[in-house]
Amino acid sequence: MGFSMSSFFMNLGVAAPNETSVNSITLFVLLLTACIVIGHLLEKSRWMTESITALAIGLCTGIVILLNTKGKSSHVLVFSEDLFFIYLLPPIIFNAGFQVKKKQFFRNFMTITLFGAVGTLISFTIISLGSMQLFKKLDIGFLEIGDYLAIGAIFSATDSVCTLQVLNQEETPFLYSVVFGEGVLNDATSVVLFNAIQRFDLSHITSTNVMQFIGNFLSLFFTSTVLGVAVGLLSAYIIKKLYFGRHSTDREVALMMLMAYLSYMMAELFYLSGILTVFFCGIVMSHYTWHNVTESSRITTKHSFATLSFVLEIFIFLYVGMDALDMEKWEFASKSPKTSVGVSSILLALVLIGRAAFVFPLCFISNLTKKSQGNKIRFKQQVTIWWAGLMRGAVSVALAYNQFASSGHTQLPGNAIMITSTITVVLFTTVVGGLLTKPIVRFLLPQQKHSSGIISPDLSSSKSLNLPLLGINGQEPEGNLSTNVTRPSSLRMLWTTPSRTVHCYWRKFDDAFMRPVFGGRGFVPFIPGSPTETEGIIH
């Protein structure tokens, strides 16, 4: 039987539903394989990243489909924000928390919180107010105040996935940790803001309503974090008490995966932030649950979570590249090209200004709290942080579809312009930002290219400099690091070295109360006949 790519792409638009699904899945599997192979070949490139590679392949595939379907469609799947937020995003965020270098993350926690939460609110305010003032001069259709606030939330969401692909954890450990942590908190903050705006009554805005909105926002953040920690501790307690590995490691792995996904779905069920919940669930499960399972389960879960996250990241960028050529949206935008270009330019300018408005002032505030000159964030590092966080990605696209489209289709010209402008900003910042970030880092911070003894802010011991945020196995050598550290023992030391003091007290509390109940390294009972732990496997 003969087969041609032309007939294959034509069948995508005319085949029966079941056949179309098979064709679509086959095409995506083929493209995912191509992305992995080409990404591997370009791994040493100073310019290309896997996200840019996936976008480029998606664009090329979209062009081929567009030509073969005579301009009807450029993709084989209709974008669904439910698909993105319910199935694609949770494994990515969970793996980020599961693999996080906890010591580095919490050592820089104040800086990360400033950028990820406070910074996002500043950027949200600037983008919302700026678009509200500037869009009125353009004929883009009727937009309500809720739409402008949604635009602020949409374009405040950075793309941490693409950013981390262009930063090297060995060369820039501090920048890597700050941008990574900021990206996770930023995405959570943006989604929480977006959801809160949709539920908030914007017809009557008073000072009382504003304070209520802020209170609900903070409560949502706190409750989401607590839920993630609670589910993580529950999984650790169940696995420690029942010790499934005596009979089946498959049950251990399945339980960890299901409990992780349960944390996200429970957050969505109670209208909380699933991103924040599943992220902290991943941190807790890596600290307790992961040490309670057998050695084979540890290896399996570590690679399973990482592989699933990796494939889904590529899938998202691949689809964004294909969807960028969807003709339904561009037909509306093409009727007023000057307006479309103007909206995209304004949004891009607001993204640049909004990020600069919080990165440099917050770095200044952070530096005021540090007495040592070597611990302060230098100006070149500030510029790098500002540039590395400019990229916008799948979260922005998903939120834009949620606000301005219905079931993946655009209904109004104004909505079409907003979606095409979002795609334009995402493509521009991802491609241009991704291509230039590595050269900019090498130009601004050349001393970090081949140096392992880098002096980074918030890192006061030389040993900690060799601990990137994400280790090979996602865990930190807690015992080895703490042996040569002088532990603060007074309230006076709490003011001079707060991160070390808090960590010292937390370790004492953890060893005395938490680990005996929930397990963890050194607190797992040995059961004869079960696989034993090799000390050097994962630390």
Side-chain angles (χ1 to χ4, degrees):
M1 179 183 294
F3 177 82
S4 67
M5 290 301 294
S6 177
S7 61
F8 174 79
F9 285 116
M10 288 297 293
N11 284 339
L12 291 175
V14 299
N18 291 338
E19 187 177 350
T20 302
S21 300
V22 173
N23 291 340
S24 302
I25 295 173
T26 303
L27 177 61
F28 263 100
V29 171
L30 177 64
L31 294 176
L32 287 171
T33 304
C35 288
I36 294 174
V37 173
I38 297 175
H40 172 73
L41 296 176
L42 298 175
E43 185 176 3
K44 299 300 181 182
S45 171
R46 61 178 295 182
W47 301 96
M48 295 297 290
T49 63
E50 287 171 341
S51 58
I52 298 177
T53 302
L55 278 174
I57 293 177
L59 285 170
C60 294
T61 306
I63 293 174
V64 174
I65 298 176
L66 197 63
L67 293 175
N68 281 276
T69 57
K70 298 180 180 181
K72 294 181 180 179
S73 176
S74 65
H75 50 77
V76 295
L77 293 175
V78 176
F79 184 87
S80 169
E81 57 271 11
D82 290 336
L83 170 69
F84 175 76
F85 283 108
I86 301 299
Y87 301 107
L88 302 183
L89 190 60
I92 297 175
I93 301 300
F94 174 80
N95 184 66
F98 191 76
Q99 301 284 355
V100 71
K101 203 71 177 178
K102 296 185 291 293
K103 194 181 294 292
Q104 285 281 57
F105 177 81
F106 289 105
R107 190 187 299 275
N108 299 319
F109 187 73
M110 292 305 299
T111 303
I112 290 172
T113 303
L114 277 176
F115 288 163
V118 179
T120 303
L121 293 175
I122 295 175
S123 178
F124 161 78
T125 303
I126 291 177
I127 295 175
S128 297
L129 295 179
S131 61
M132 192 179 301
Q133 296 299 321
L134 297 175
F135 284 180
K136 292 179 180 179
K137 301 178 181 180
L138 301 174
D139 185 19
I140 61 174
F142 180 73
L143 294 179
E144 299 178 346
I145 185 172
D147 295 322
Y148 291 114
L149 295 178
I151 290 171
I154 289 169
F155 289 96
S156 296
T158 62
D159 181 23
S160 56
V161 174
C162 184
T163 300
L164 295 181
Q165 290 180 1
V166 296
L167 288 179
N168 189 295
Q169 59 180 337
E170 301 291 345
E171 297 175 1
T172 55
F174 171 72
L175 296 179
Y176 192 90
S177 66
V178 170
V179 174
F180 170 82
E182 178 204 349
V184 174
L185 290 181
N186 170 277
D187 288 345
T189 305
S190 300
V191 174
V192 169
L193 274 174
F194 185 85
N195 292 333
I197 290 168
Q198 290 189 323
R199 296 195 298 264
F200 189 66
D201 183 12
L202 299 172
S203 58
H204 301 86
I205 300 179
T206 63
S207 58
T208 303
N209 291 339
V210 172
M211 294 302 297
Q212 183 181 4
F213 176 82
I214 297 175
N216 292 339
F217 178 81
L218 296 176
S219 174
L220 197 62
F221 242 76
F222 176 77
T223 308
S224 301
T225 302
V226 171
L227 177 61
V229 173
V231 175
L233 292 176
L234 178 62
S235 69
Y237 184 80
I238 292 175
I239 290 180
K240 178 176 179 291
K241 286 297 182 182
L242 300 181
Y243 202 80
F244 291 89
R246 282 181 297 185
H247 306 293
S248 172
T249 57
D250 295 337
R251 294 175 183 171
E252 287 184 324
V253 175
L255 186 61
M256 286 187 67
M257 290 183 172
L258 291 174
M259 292 291 285
Y261 192 63
L262 177 64
S263 68
Y264 186 89
M265 295 310 300
M266 287 182 64
E268 294 297 316
L269 179 65
F270 295 116
Y271 301 100
L272 303 176
S273 171
I275 294 178
L276 208 60
T277 297
V278 78
F279 175 71
F280 279 97
C281 180
I283 292 179
V284 172
M285 289 182 72
S286 70
H287 188 66
Y288 296 108
T289 312
W290 188 81
H291 293 282
N292 295 344
V293 300
T294 59
E295 180 183 333
S296 58
S297 295
R298 293 174 198 158
I299 298 174
T300 301
T301 52
K302 177 175 70 70
H303 290 290
S304 297
F305 293 143
T307 301
L308 183 60
S309 174
F310 173 73
V311 173
L312 293 180
E313 289 168 10
I314 297 178
F315 178 89
I316 290 171
F317 284 110
L318 188 64
Y319 183 86
V320 170
M322 296 174 64
D323 189 66
L325 299 174
D326 184 61
M327 295 307 297
E328 179 187 0
K329 298 183 286 291
W330 291 103
E331 283 178 358
F332 287 112
S334 63
K335 296 178 182 178
S336 53
K338 293 184 179 179
T339 301
S340 182
V341 172
V343 171
S344 300
S345 302
I346 290 173
L347 290 174
L348 184 59
L350 290 174
V351 168
L352 294 168
I353 297 172
R355 183 157 183 84
F358 76 81
V359 168
F360 298 105
L362 293 182
C363 283
F364 176 77
I365 295 174
S366 178
N367 288 338
L368 292 178
T369 63
K370 300 171 182 176
K371 296 181 180 180
S372 173
Q373 191 68 26
N375 288 335
K376 295 184 178 181
I377 308 175
R378 301 187 300 274
F379 179 74
K380 290 184 177 180
Q381 290 178 315
Q382 297 177 27
V383 173
T384 306
I385 293 173
W386 168 73
W387 178 266
L390 289 174
M391 285 173 273
R392 299 298 181 263
V395 173
S396 295
V397 174
L399 294 179
Y401 269 96
N402 188 296
Q403 181 70 21
F404 299 107
S406 175
S407 300
H409 298 284
T410 308
Q411 305 295 331
L412 302 174
N415 291 351
I417 291 177
M418 290 309 307
I419 292 180
T420 54
S421 299
T422 302
I423 294 175
T424 301
V425 172
V426 168
L427 290 178
F428 183 85
T429 56
T430 300
V431 175
V432 176
L435 289 175
L436 295 181
T437 298
K438 286 183 179 180
I440 287 176
V441 171
R442 286 178 169 85
F443 175 75
L444 294 177
L445 308 170
Q447 74 278 8
Q448 297 189 0
K449 185 173 182 180
H450 299 292
S451 173
S452 60
I454 309 163
I455 299 177
S456 301
D458 294 339
L459 303 179
S460 53
S461 69
S462 59
K463 283 192 175 185
S464 64
L465 301 178
N466 297 322
L467 296 175
L469 182 68
L470 296 182
I472 295 176
N473 297 304
Q475 305 296 326
E476 71 278 5
E478 297 175 352
N480 295 336
L481 180 66
S482 60
T483 55
N484 295 328
V485 176
T486 303
R487 297 184 181 277
S489 58
S490 66
L491 291 177
R492 180 180 178 184
M493 294 297 290
L494 178 62
W495 293 102
T496 57
T497 55
S499 62
R500 291 234 190 140
T501 306
V502 172
H503 180 258
C504 174
Y505 290 146
W506 161 249
R507 287 296 301 276
K508 291 180 179 179
F509 174 79
D510 193 28
D511 292 340
F513 299 100
M514 299 297 290
R515 294 194 188 193
V517 176
F518 299 104
R521 183 184 301 153
F523 288 84
V524 181
F526 174 76
I527 298 180
S530 63
T532 58
E533 175 183 0
T534 303
E535 289 294 331
I537 273 286
I538 295 180
H539 291 293

